[in-house]
Amino acid sequence: MFNNYFLMSFALTIISASFWPIIPSIVWIVPIFCILCASIKYRAFSYLGGVILAVLLIIYQGNLIKTQTSALFQSGQNTIIKASVTSLFKKNTHGYKSVLVVRSIDDEKTIKPQAVKVQLFTPFKLNQGDLVTLSVLIKPIYGLLNEAGFDKERYLFSKGIVANANYIAGTSYRIRSTQSIRAVWFEEIKSYSENFSNQDLILALSFGYRELISNDTWGLLKSSGLLHLIAISGLHIGIAYGIGYKVGTSLRWFLPHAVWMPLITGLSLAIFYSWFAGFTLPTLRALVMCCIASFLIFSRVKVGLVQYLLLSLCVVLIFAPFSTLSSSFWMSFGAVSVVLYCVQFFAMDKNKTGLINRWVSLIKIQCMLSFMVLPLTMLFFGGFSAATVIYNVLFLPWFTLVVIPLLFLSIFITIFLNVDATLFWGLVDKSLSILELSIPYSDSYWINSSIELAATMTIIIVILFMFYRYLSKSTVYIIGCICLLGLLTRENERNSLKIDFLDVGHGLAILIEKNKQVIVYDTGKAWEGGSIVDSVVTPILQSRGVKKVEGVIISHFDSDHSGGYKAIVKNFAPEWIRTSQRATELHEPCIQGESWLWNQVSFKVLWPPKLVNRAYNPQSCVVRLEDHNSGRSLLLTGDIEALSEWLLSRNPTLLKSDVMLVPHHGSFTSSINTFIQSVEPEFAIASLAKGNQWGMPNSRVMDRYAQVGSHWLDTGSSGQISFEIVEGKWKFHKIRGDSPFPWYRQMLRKGVE
């Protein structure tokens, strides 16, 4: 019944559900179930069964989530919830962040039949397992949406989180501490590793807790190709299963008739470690594969590699149908599929003995593995490491034979033996020090890549996969290397002027691109451990294959406009920086009268009249761009306010532009009638955060632009907005709205669809 076609159609249907514009109503379950029964009766089940069962599952799960979310948002502004904490705490700039499973709302509205998850922000710490009753403000999830970079809406929904909940300061709350044993062990191991230099990696390997890993360390792990060793996944669960299996084999000396003992002990240790790591998606996938493999071994049922992978995929999708929105889903299943395929491909080398031959086989497998996972690493990480083969050949055996067994031994001693485990955790720290000393050298081997390159690599690998049976291994290697070198040296140029108003929340970041050269106007905000440049600007430029920024214009030095300034300098080393604030010798003045020509685009600074010691909103650098080839123009206004606008309006001939950045995010303190009428823009673009606390954009401001016939767009509603000159005219594209909007995004942003 469950052949490959059935399993594949089931999996593909569930994967597609994350992109549906709507989820059919729950009433459709009855007719679809009738169709399922008819397909069984008329022997069409083998062709339609997978699709029908998947549709039934999605309709049920999707409507359940929508009902839960609707009840949550309709409960009012001041909502009293009873909930249980399901995550380890995470610290942020305003306090603590936890994940809750809501059990009831306002004592009456109980969410049934399945609890809903929310992300809670509090000034006080909560522990996993605590039962809390508190007053909260329920808020939609408004994530940034750009062509690349972190997508909060997709990420949170893939984890089942459907809303934000902010504790209302000053209100009473009740915490019944039933701290989970996992949280107790976390604190204990955290205290043991407090003075170790690799505490961040120890907690990541033990509990999947990555909050202590710095951006620099994370970047080095990425550039070395060793992220998979730190993220608890198939390797770690497989080692746990293997150790448990060996223990069970040893126990059979005392229980010779217990043939099932190795499987039971292997699964038990794998389940325990998966729970210890918080049952993340990669651990769930690995655990499911271990369970299926154990069942097949015990029942002596033989299945092919493809069917085994499809069966594992379908089981995971039954438990977590919307996990396909997570990059870890694709990396996890993609990597394990490639690993199993590569091992099978080189199965003929298994008869070769000797240490050298085994190392040669390992290098061959690692080379092929690295090549075949290239599209995934390029797609999700914006590039790949040229040193990944070397690092993996060195550190895979080290982690398998030393680090992970030492970690398990330390966990066992800490939990089950009443002795001081400091020595053992010190050994784990020392074993990780080798990694700490080695990965800094990998930074120079990271190669950025574009999305087009990733797509082309995927096509090449699929073609080689289809024809490898007819080609020798050497030929496959040579073709692969030639294609890779050709792609890396390939240059794509964008000859027309393109302007990207990035979705950065409350703030501003604009990309000006022509002939694959880029100028950045403002850099968005920054926060402890990150910035808009790191999370949005850099991924976009990497996805386009842009390696260098020609110049940067900082309108003024409020944090929401200049917070990512240091990051843009560090990541892209711009040749020049212009600002109206007196600064270092690297800066050039951005004051009235300055002008320059770049790629047949003229830049003319209209404001402010002079340099200042500190550039605030009124001293924002106002620049007008004009493309010489088409005559099209753009006015960038920063955060200027009414007085600056009035002074600029005295010379209206300099202001008239086709596209205009709305000053100060659409605030009522800007965009006076005289200024708008002087510019008379065809398009007015505001950069702002959806649902922001300042009430931007102001409705009166929007009316003023409408009165002069301007087409209003804002990044809070439209996401990234891109303008490009095509055939002498401005053409625009917005991420939200220009294509069918996935149902879950509508639900998260509006509360109800």
Side-chain angles (χ1 to χ4, degrees):
M1 179 185 291
F2 300 117
N3 55 30
N4 287 357
Y5 178 83
F6 176 93
L7 296 172
M8 187 174 294
S9 62
F10 178 86
L12 290 176
T13 304
I14 290 185
I15 290 171
S16 72
S18 299
F19 305 97
W20 295 359
I22 61 171
I23 290 290
S25 171
I26 195 72
V27 299
W28 282 97
I29 282 186
V30 174
I32 293 175
F33 183 76
C34 293
I35 294 173
L36 177 65
C37 295
S39 69
I40 296 174
K41 180 178 180 181
Y42 294 103
R43 298 182 180 179
F45 182 78
S46 58
Y47 301 102
L48 301 175
V51 174
I52 297 173
L53 285 174
V55 170
L56 286 172
L57 177 63
I58 292 300
I59 290 177
Y60 171 74
Q61 290 275 23
N63 280 277
L64 178 61
I65 293 173
K66 286 170 60 179
T67 302
Q68 295 168 344
T69 309
S70 176
L72 198 61
F73 277 92
Q74 290 175 1
S75 59
Q77 293 291 309
N78 192 335
T79 304
I80 299 176
I81 62 171
K82 291 182 179 179
S84 57
V85 182
T86 62
S87 71
L88 296 169
F89 74 93
K90 297 180 180 179
K91 210 168 183 184
N92 60 22
T93 53
H94 302 293
Y96 297 90
K97 177 172 64 176
S98 306
V99 176
L100 302 184
V101 171
V102 179
R103 304 299 181 188
S104 67
I105 302 174
D106 293 334
D107 293 327
E108 296 179 0
K109 302 175 182 178
T110 303
I111 299 179
K112 295 180 179 179
Q114 180 181 331
V116 61
K117 288 183 181 179
V118 300
Q119 194 170 231
L120 175 69
F121 299 88
T122 57
F124 46 84
K125 176 183 171 183
L126 294 172
N127 295 307
Q128 185 179 21
D130 286 350
L131 300 177
V132 299
T133 302
L134 70 171
S135 297
V136 296
L137 177 64
I138 302 296
K139 290 186 175 182
I141 294 174
Y142 293 128
L144 310 180
L145 190 59
N146 297 280
E147 65 184 74
F150 180 64
D151 187 338
K152 182 168 72 172
E153 294 171 14
R154 183 175 63 188
Y155 172 77
L156 291 180
F157 185 68
S158 70
K159 293 181 174 295
I161 299 170
V162 297
N164 289 324
N166 288 4
Y167 165 71
I168 300 176
T171 59
S172 61
Y173 60 90
R174 185 170 66 252
I175 301 175
R176 185 156 64 92
S177 183
T178 56
Q179 193 173 5
S180 72
I181 193 168
R182 179 172 177 257
V184 172
W185 289 339
F186 173 81
E187 293 295 340
E188 189 172 358
I189 292 174
K190 186 171 180 285
S191 66
Y192 272 122
S193 58
E194 199 73 54
N195 298 319
F196 295 151
S197 60
N198 293 301
Q199 183 192 39
D200 52 350
L201 301 182
I202 289 173
L203 293 179
L205 286 169
S206 301
F207 296 92
Y209 187 83
R210 307 177 195 171
E211 301 304 307
L212 299 181
I213 299 179
S214 67
N215 285 341
D216 290 340
T217 302
W218 199 255
L220 291 173
L221 288 169
K222 182 184 75 170
S223 62
S224 63
L226 297 178
L227 272 177
H228 64 100
L229 294 182
I230 303 303
I232 300 174
S233 58
L235 172 68
H236 310 76
I237 304 301
I239 294 173
Y241 182 87
I243 292 174
Y245 193 93
K246 290 293 184 182
V247 171
T249 303
S250 301
L251 291 176
R252 285 198 61 196
W253 286 94
F254 307 99
L255 300 169
H257 298 292
V259 294
W260 41 264
M261 183 61 73
L263 297 178
I264 295 298
T265 53
L267 279 178
S268 298
L269 190 54
I271 292 170
F272 175 78
Y273 189 36
S274 298
W275 168 79
F276 214 71
F279 284 117
T280 59
L281 184 60
T283 61
L284 177 63
R285 187 271 307 159
L287 185 59
V288 165
M289 296 189 77
C290 286
C291 291
I292 292 175
S294 299
F295 173 78
L296 294 175
I297 292 171
F298 187 75
S299 59
R300 297 182 181 179
V301 175
K302 292 185 178 181
V303 298
L305 175 61
V306 173
Q307 190 169 18
Y308 172 61
L309 288 170
L310 285 174
L311 188 59
S312 303
L313 174 63
C314 290
V315 172
V316 171
L317 290 176
I318 289 171
F319 287 105
F322 304 116
S323 61
T324 55
L325 292 166
S326 170
S327 59
S328 63
F329 172 88
W330 298 102
M331 289 298 298
S332 180
F333 270 102
V336 74
S337 301
V338 170
V339 167
L340 293 176
Y341 173 76
C342 290
V343 171
Q344 188 182 58
F345 186 80
F346 288 100
M348 62 185 68
D349 294 339
K350 66 182 180 181
N351 295 324
K352 295 181 179 180
T353 59
L355 183 62
I356 295 178
N357 287 330
R358 289 180 180 178
W359 273 101
V360 170
S361 297
L362 177 62
I363 293 172
K364 285 181 180 180
I365 292 174
Q366 188 58 51
C367 287
M368 188 171 183
L369 173 63
S370 301
F371 179 73
M372 293 187 71
V373 298
L374 265 181
L376 289 173
T377 57
M378 291 161 70
L379 180 62
F380 294 119
F381 299 119
F384 60 94
S385 172
T388 185
V389 173
I390 297 173
Y391 274 95
N392 275 280
V393 167
L394 293 175
F395 282 101
L396 267 173
W398 180 253
F399 267 71
T400 303
L401 301 175
V402 179
V403 177
I404 303 302
L406 267 177
L407 181 78
F408 288 167
L409 178 62
S410 302
I411 291 173
F412 176 80
I413 292 172
T414 302
I415 293 174
F416 298 107
L417 302 181
N418 190 22
V419 296
D420 186 358
T422 304
L423 173 64
F424 297 94
W425 287 110
L427 291 174
V428 176
D429 180 64
K430 294 295 183 185
S431 69
L432 289 169
S433 295
I434 299 175
L435 178 68
E436 182 185 22
L437 293 172
S438 303
I439 57 175
Y441 298 101
S442 67
D443 196 32
S444 57
Y445 294 99
W446 180 259
I447 300 173
N448 293 326
S449 62
S450 63
I451 293 177
E452 290 81 3
L453 181 60
T456 308
M457 280 297 302
T458 303
I459 295 172
I460 291 172
I461 290 173
V462 170
I463 292 174
L464 290 176
F465 174 77
M466 293 172 63
F467 292 100
Y468 84 93
R469 295 180 182 275
Y470 309 102
L471 303 172
S472 66
K473 292 181 182 178
S474 300
T475 305
V476 171
Y477 291 148
I478 293 171
I479 293 174
C481 291
I482 291 174
C483 292
L484 181 59
L485 289 173
L487 287 169
L488 292 177
T489 56
R490 177 172 166 263
E491 291 288 338
N492 289 322
E493 290 195 352
R494 186 184 299 279
N495 296 319
S496 60
L497 177 64
K498 184 179 182 184
I499 312 293
D500 297 289
F501 298 84
L502 304 184
D503 184 9
V504 298
H506 182 75
L508 182 65
I510 297 173
L511 304 181
I512 305 164
E513 181 180 356
K514 190 173 184 180
N515 296 332
K516 212 172 179 60
Q517 296 180 353
V518 173
I519 291 175
V520 177
Y521 183 89
D522 281 349
T523 58
K525 62 185 176 183
W527 54 89
E528 185 179 354
S531 68
I532 285 295
V533 168
D534 293 322
S535 61
V536 176
V537 177
T538 298
I540 289 176
L541 294 180
Q542 287 179 348
S543 71
R544 297 180 182 180
V546 175
K547 301 176 182 178
K548 185 175 178 57
V549 167
E550 297 294 312
V552 176
I553 303 172
I554 303 295
S555 66
H556 64 296
F557 276 82
D558 283 358
S559 60
D560 59 322
H561 289 252
S562 63
Y565 162 72
K566 292 183 180 179
I568 202 81
V569 172
K570 176 184 176 182
N571 295 351
F572 295 98
E575 294 182 2
W576 51 263
I577 300 166
R578 290 183 179 268
T579 175
S580 59
Q581 178 173 306
R582 292 188 181 94
T584 67
E585 64 278 1
L586 294 176
H587 291 200
E588 299 182 25
C590 191
I591 56 174
Q592 193 175 70
E594 292 288 330
S595 62
W596 66 94
L597 184 66
W598 171 81
N599 282 325
Q600 295 301 304
V601 178
S602 63
F603 288 70
K604 188 169 185 178
V605 183
L606 307 181
W607 190 264
K610 63 179 181 179
L611 289 175
V612 293
N613 292 327
R614 170 62 164 88
Y616 292 99
N617 289 354
Q619 293 85 35
S620 292
C621 183
V622 178
V623 184
R624 185 179 183 273
L625 286 67
E626 183 171 342
D627 180 56
H628 286 198
N629 297 326
S630 62
R632 295 296 167 183
S633 55
L634 166 72
L635 185 67
L636 301 176
T637 58
D639 272 0
I640 57 170
E641 296 177 338
L643 179 59
S644 302
E645 293 177 352
W646 181 79
L647 292 171
L648 278 166
S649 301
R650 293 184 300 176
N651 197 347
T653 56
L654 295 177
L655 294 174
K656 187 171 177 59
S657 303
D658 307 315
V659 180
M660 171 188 176
L661 171 69
V662 174
H664 202 193
H665 319 288
S667 167
F668 69 92
T669 61
S670 303
S671 297
I672 61 175
N673 281 323
T674 305
F675 185 67
I676 296 173
Q677 291 167 2
S678 298
V679 181
E680 201 178 353
E682 182 181 353
F683 299 96
I685 319 299
S687 179
L688 50 87
K690 182 75 171 177
N692 63 81
Q693 59 185 321
W694 302 280
M696 301 174 185
N698 184 271
S699 57
R700 293 183 181 179
V701 169
M702 297 175 67
D703 291 340
R704 291 173 200 161
Y705 284 97
Q707 288 171 7
V708 297
S710 299
H711 182 58
W712 176 278
L713 294 167
D714 68 71
T715 56
S717 299
S718 302
Q720 175 184 334
I721 303 168
S722 300
F723 278 79
E724 187 170 6
I725 297 176
V726 179
E727 297 179 352
K729 296 181 180 180
W730 285 114
K731 300 291 183 182
F732 74 90
H733 168 73
K734 49 186 181 175
I735 298 289
R736 298 186 195 270
D738 281 358
S739 57
F741 208 41
W743 65 275
Y744 72 90
R745 292 192 187 276
Q746 301 174 40
M747 181 187 71
L748 293 179
R749 288 172 69 87
K750 299 177 183 178
V752 291
E753 194 172 16

